[in-house]
Amino acid sequence: AEYGETNSDLQGVMEGVMKHIMSKEVLYEPMKEMKNKYPIWLEKNKAKISSEEYQKYLKQYEFVQQIVAKYESSSNDDFDDIVKLMQQMQEFGQPPSDIIHELAPGVSFNEDGLPQFPVEGDQKECSVM
């Protein structure tokens, strides 16, 4: 196979993986849980964080609400819309670590904002990308 074909095949595989990860079956429940946890977290932490941080988390919460609404309003996944909303949410940084740890115990993020999962044995944490 020529390089172009292999690259195209890999791109197709990656797109398939992303569509699965962003699918309603995979992402809807965690996003719904996050939607329920944000207001509680914001209320509890408003006095502990700067107003800039509060506004950033408030914007993230707005995107979480939009993503959940998108999943609830459509019978089939609007992949491109979900990706766009996720990217816009990401522009405001990572969600509060308290919420992430409640939803996914053991997951942490590296300095690039990519998730890292604990790995058995002597290996360092495994980064997703």
Side-chain angles (χ1 to χ4, degrees):
E2 290 185 28
Y3 173 75
E5 292 173 18
T6 305
N7 195 26
S8 173
D9 292 346
L10 180 61
Q11 189 173 357
V13 169
M14 289 301 292
E15 188 173 319
V17 169
M18 289 303 296
K19 282 188 176 185
H20 176 71
I21 290 171
M22 298 285 187
S23 72
K24 186 173 184 176
E25 292 78 27
V26 173
L27 204 56
Y28 174 62
E29 285 301 321
M31 292 305 286
K32 198 164 82 169
E33 281 186 55
M34 191 180 287
K35 179 185 165 202
N36 295 334
K37 291 180 183 306
Y38 254 96
I40 297 162
W41 188 92
L42 287 167
E43 182 67 31
K44 193 170 93 176
N45 291 282
K46 186 173 186 175
K48 300 176 188 175
I49 59 177
S50 70
S51 62
E52 292 83 16
E53 283 181 300
Y54 182 80
Q55 290 303 316
K56 177 183 81 167
Y57 291 131
L58 199 55
K59 284 301 241 183
Q60 290 176 355
Y61 175 51
E62 290 171 13
F63 283 111
V64 169
Q65 290 175 301
Q66 290 177 47
I67 292 165
V68 170
K70 180 65 74 177
Y71 281 131
E72 290 175 345
S73 70
S74 105
S75 54
N76 60 347
D77 297 336
D78 290 323
F79 177 71
D80 293 336
D81 291 342
I82 297 293
V83 168
K84 191 178 192 179
L85 289 168
M86 292 292 279
Q87 288 171 335
Q88 290 171 327
M89 180 182 166
Q90 192 67 33
E91 289 173 16
F92 293 94
Q94 293 301 323
S97 58
D98 298 352
I99 293 177
I100 296 298
H101 291 302
E102 284 182 42
L103 294 175
V107 176
S108 60
F109 293 89
N110 68 18
E111 60 276 0
D112 297 323
L114 298 172
Q116 294 181 309
F117 301 92
V119 179
E120 299 296 319
D122 295 336
Q123 301 169 348
K124 294 184 181 258
E125 290 181 327
C126 173
S127 182
V128 172
M129 297 179 113

